[in-house]
Structure formats: structure tokens, C-alpha cells
């Protein structure tokens, strides 16, 4: 919803937002999570003109309804989760007694299905002209299953070439190791041993923003004629491992999923097998194989 706010109203700070950021940081939430939650709360304020500190359930439901056409179900669910965290903070810090989210409820999210890029698309992407660092980003997603925010934070110190491991700081600040594919070992030998692999432009000691990594990979994929997202490279990683008959518990560890339920969404029958199954259907089956249901004459 676009509301008409005066310049003064647009400049008006969102009350308690700095404290909300501090509260989350003290709980050692990831910087990505903190920044996104703060951004969404500020977005609510700007779009509605309502201070989130005093927002009612109706204010929140109206905001969600106004974005019914341009937000996906999963986006709406994530934003509702951010609002829940906000009002939990307000109650915990005695800034508010009630919690309007109890009246809002939880958006229904349809069952997710993995959308990996195809094997052909992987070849098309890798054959596309690109910078060496962009190729490295793509290979980290394809061969280590890294998310974009994990790619952005990769540093030379994260690699243990003797053990053949990459240490990844993922969701919830949890650090886990991923065995290195031989191609990644070769890449690591040529990359810096210390410091960020993908530094922010003009700030060599700082890492790129995850959004920038996503944009760089996305632009390369589009040049290759592949209409997909960077995260779908991670989907290829999981579905290919399972298609290669790797045990699901092993894939869970490699994907660094907390619950095996998260891994199970990748066990859906691959599209190629479903297509092959459809291709076996034959409306002239009774004629071609009379032994199946007894011989029958072909009717013209």
C-alpha cells in the first residue's frame, strides 16, 4: 500500500527500532536476520504511516492484505514471523502489554517443492563467459551447497586443505564442515589463504552483501538463458546427491539441515523420471501386447 506521507512523516524515526536491533544482536542472532527484521519493521511504518510500537491487529492485517498480490505465501509467512519477533521484544522489554499477533494468525503456506536447475542448465551456466570470482561463487553453490549469504562470507581461513574441508557458518551461527569437491580444492589453492574471497568493492577487508552475490549469480544465469535463482543451484546439489542414491542422512548433514524433514522435500521423484514414466503410456497397448488383456482387433 502506498500512503501519502509528508516529508516530515517519512523522516520520522521508527520508535524502539534501535533497541530492537540491539536486543537481537545481544541474543547473537545472525547479522542477516537482524538487518532483515529491522528492514521489514521500518517498511511497515513507511507504508502504513503507523508506528509499529502501537500497531493494532487490524493495522497489521490490512498491511498484509494490501500485499496479497505482490508477496508470495512464503514471503508473507516470513514477514509475519518478523512481526512476531518484534512484538515479543516489545512485551519482553515492558514496552507493550498485549500482542496483536495473537489475533493475526499465521498465513497458510503451500507445500514446498524443490526447483533445481537442470543438468543441461548447469552446463549452459558454466560455459557462459564470466569473471573467475563469479564462477567460484557458482561452484560453491553447486559443489558445496552454500546459500548466498554463506558464499558472501567465505574466507581463506575457512578452508582446511589438508583435511579437505570447508568450514561454513550457516543459520543460527552454527559452524559445520563440508567435504571439499576436488574442483573446489583446486580453486582454493589459487584463492587467498587469508581474508574474504569476495570483498566489498572499495573495502577489501569486508565481505560482499548477500544480495550482491545473488545479483551477480542471477545476472550470469540470465546471460546463459537460464531463468532461475542462485538458491536453485543449492537445490541441484541436494537433488543430485539423492538421485545418485546417497543416503538421506548423509545429504541432511551435507545440506546442514537441522531437521531431516527439511531434507525430505528433496526426495520428490525427479522431473526426468516422472517424464519417463509418462512416456511409457501407450493407448495402443492392447494391440502391441495382446497378452496383457487378450487379443483385440484394431478398430479404425
Amino acid at each position: 500500500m502506498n500512503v501519502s506521507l509528508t516529508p516530515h512523516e517519512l523522516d520520522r524515526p521508527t520508535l524502539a527500532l534501535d533497541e530492537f536491533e540491539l536486543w537481537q544482536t545481544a541474543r547473537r542472532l545472525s547479522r542477516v536476520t537482524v538487518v532483515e527484521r529491522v528492514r521489514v519493521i521500518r517498511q511497515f511504518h513507511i507504508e502504513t504511516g503507523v508506528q509499529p510500537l502501537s500497531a493494532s491487529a487490524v493495522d497489521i492485517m490490512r498491511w498484509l492484505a494490501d500485499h496479497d498480490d505482490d508477496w508470495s505465501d512464503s514471503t508473507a509467512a516470513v514477514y509475519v514471523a518478523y512481526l512476531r519477533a518484534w512484538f515479543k521484544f516489545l512485551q519482553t522489554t515492558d514496552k507493550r502489554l498485549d500482542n496483536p499477533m495473537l489475533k493475526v494468525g499465521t498465513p497458510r503456506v503451500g507445500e514446498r517443492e524443490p526447483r533445481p536447475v537442470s543438468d543441461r542448465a548447469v552446463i549452459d551456466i558454466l560455459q557462459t563467459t564470466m569473471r573467475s570470482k563469479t564462477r567460484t561463487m557458482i561452484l560453491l553453490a553447486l559443489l558445496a551447497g552454500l546459500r548466498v549469504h554463506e558464499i558472501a562470507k567465505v574466507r581463506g581461513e575457512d578452508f582446511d586443505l589438508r583435511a579437505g574441508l570447508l568450514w561454513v557458518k550457516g543459520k543460527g551461527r552454527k559452524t559445520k564442515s563440508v567435504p571439499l569437491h576436488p574442483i573446489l580444492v583446486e580453486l582454493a589453492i589459487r584463492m587467498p589463504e587469508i581474508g574474504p574471497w569476495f570483498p566489498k568493492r572499495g573495502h577489501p577487508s569486508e565481505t560482499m552483501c548477500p544480495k550482491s552475490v545473488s545479483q551477480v549469480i542471477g545476472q550470469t544465469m540470465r546471460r546463459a538463458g537460464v531463468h532461475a535463482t542462485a538458491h536453485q543451484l543449492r537445490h541441484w546439489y541436494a537433488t543430485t546427491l539423492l538421485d545418485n542414491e546417497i543416503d538421506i542422512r548423509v545429504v541432511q548433514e551435507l545440506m546442514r539441515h537441522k531437521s531431516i524433514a527439511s531434507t525430505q522435500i528433496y526426495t520428490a521423484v525427479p522431473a526426468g523420471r516422472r517424464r519417463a514414466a509418462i512416456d511409457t503410456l501407450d493407448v495402443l497397448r492392447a494391440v502391441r501386447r495382446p497378452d496383457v488383456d487378450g487379443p483385440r482387433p484394431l478398430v479404425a
Side-chain angles (χ1 to χ4, degrees), residues 49 77 95 158 172 225 229 255 276 293:
K95 288 180 171 56
D158 298 332
T229 66
M255 290 290 284
D293 196 21

Side-chain angles (χ1 to χ4, degrees), residues 33-290:
T33 298
V34 174
V35 170
E36 271 299 289
R37 286 179 174 180
V38 167
R39 181 189 67 79
V40 170
I41 302 305
R42 183 177 285 115
Q43 179 181 340
F44 170 85
H45 181 201
I46 292 173
E47 293 186 358
T48 65
V50 175
Q51 275 289 351
L53 184 67
S54 56
S56 68
V58 172
D59 292 328
I60 297 165
M61 288 187 281
R62 186 176 292 119
W63 184 57
L64 295 172
D66 285 337
H67 284 286
D68 187 54
D69 293 333
D70 57 315
W71 287 351
S72 67
D73 291 344
S74 58
T75 296
V78 169
Y79 285 9
V80 165
Y82 291 171
L83 287 167
R84 289 188 192 285
W86 166 254
F87 288 105
K88 178 182 178 181
F89 153 73
L90 293 179
Q91 286 188 305
T92 302
T93 55
D94 299 322
K95 288 180 171 56
R96 183 161 177 157
L97 295 177
D98 67 319
N99 186 341
M101 297 307 294
L102 296 176
K103 299 178 181 179
V104 173
T106 303
R108 298 182 65 179
V109 180
E111 187 174 331
R112 293 184 301 166
E113 182 175 337
R115 296 186 301 155
V117 294
S118 67
D119 293 345
R120 179 67 251 179
V122 170
I123 294 174
D124 290 341
I125 293 167
L126 294 177
Q127 288 182 336
T128 301
T129 302
M130 69 185 85
R131 295 175 59 194
S132 60
K133 286 191 176 182
T134 302
R135 186 176 300 276
T136 300
M137 292 177 185
I138 290 171
L139 289 172
L140 284 169
L142 287 171
L143 301 178
L146 266 59
R147 305 173 178 91
V148 289
H149 73 87
E150 294 166 344
I151 294 172
K153 293 185 292 186
V154 166
R155 302 175 63 88
E157 301 94 316
D158 298 332
F159 291 81
D160 184 342
L161 295 183
R162 289 188 177 182
L165 296 175
L166 166 61
W167 290 92
V168 183
K169 182 178 286 187
K171 292 183 176 180
R173 293 179 178 267
K174 293 181 179 178
T175 302
K176 290 193 174 184
S177 63
V178 176
L180 283 171
H181 188 280
I183 291 177
L184 294 181
V185 172
E186 293 181 13
L187 280 173
I189 292 173
R190 300 195 297 268
M191 295 295 284
E193 295 182 11
I194 299 175
W197 274 19
F198 313 109
K200 184 184 294 185
R201 184 176 298 178
H203 302 273
S205 62
E206 299 180 25
T207 59
M208 285 179 69
C209 297
K211 188 174 182 180
S212 298
V213 173
S214 183
Q215 289 174 341
V216 168
I217 295 176
Q219 289 168 358
T220 303
M221 294 170 76
R222 284 191 292 276
R223 286 206 312 274
V226 177
H227 300 285
T229 66
H231 199 67
Q232 287 173 251
L233 301 176
R234 174 174 161 86
H235 285 199
W236 180 89
Y237 174 79
T239 54
T240 302
L241 287 170
L242 290 166
D243 198 34
N244 290 341
E245 300 183 352
I246 303 301
D247 184 85
I248 191 170
R249 277 288 292 116
V250 176
V251 178
Q252 178 191 355
E253 288 295 318
L254 292 173
M255 290 290 284
R256 292 160 285 114
H257 284 152
K258 182 177 181 181
S259 167
I260 199 167
S262 298
T263 314
Q264 285 175 332
I265 69 168
Y266 296 94
T267 61
V269 178
R273 291 186 183 179
R274 288 185 289 173
R275 170 55 55 192
I278 293 298
D279 290 343
T280 66
L281 297 176
D282 185 359
V283 294
L284 299 179
R285 183 168 178 259
V287 176
R288 302 185 200 279
R289 296 182 56 192

